[in-house]
Amino acid sequence: LVSLLQNVRSNYDIDVFQPIFDKMAEHSKVGPYTGKILDQDATLKDTAYRAIADHARALSFALADGAVPNNEGRGYVLRRILRRATRYGQQILKAEPGFLATLIPVVVE
């Protein structure tokens, strides 16, 4: 609904994600988010931007709700989300370890 109101083609192009993408671009060595999808995103750069932004938001909300990464249940899901976001950032965006922590204040704002 918000993407329609803001006249953009994807939910990831709405104003909520832009500050997160901007912060990720500061850490990325492969360039900023361009909004490419499917076959246009051959390097998976934009896919990584979207996944990391979504994961950073999910982790922030879950941790605020009292969830803790562990070996069981929702804690296991959090561990998987955290690892995937970190892996995408380091392997695809060529970001330094620890970049994910810098996104949390942006998500909170």
Side-chain angles (χ1 to χ4, degrees):
L1 181 64
V2 177
S3 60
L4 292 173
L5 293 173
Q6 293 184 6
N7 197 29
V8 293
R9 67 180 191 171
S10 166
N11 286 339
Y12 292 102
D13 295 329
I14 65 174
D15 58 359
V16 171
F17 285 95
Q18 294 311 309
I20 302 170
F21 290 156
D22 292 343
K23 189 64 171 179
M24 287 182 357
E26 292 176 17
H27 298 282
S28 171
K29 293 182 177 63
V30 296
Y33 177 74
T34 57
K36 294 180 181 176
I37 58 171
L38 303 172
D39 294 338
Q40 297 173 350
D41 189 21
T43 63
L44 299 178
K45 176 184 78 170
D46 290 335
T47 300
Y49 267 94
R50 289 188 293 270
I52 294 166
D54 199 41
H55 289 1
R57 292 180 75 227
L59 286 164
S60 297
F61 288 114
L63 292 171
D65 280 345
V68 180
N70 63 35
N71 294 333
E72 298 174 352
R74 70 180 182 171
Y76 182 71
V77 173
L78 289 180
R79 280 182 50 194
R80 301 270 320 250
I81 290 172
L82 180 60
R83 286 180 178 172
R84 183 173 187 235
T86 303
R87 184 178 68 243
Y88 273 29
Q90 291 178 2
Q91 290 179 352
I92 298 173
L93 300 184
K94 308 297 184 209
E96 295 293 324
F99 81 96
L100 193 59
T102 67
L103 301 181
I104 305 310
V106 178
V107 170
V108 171
E109 281 185 31

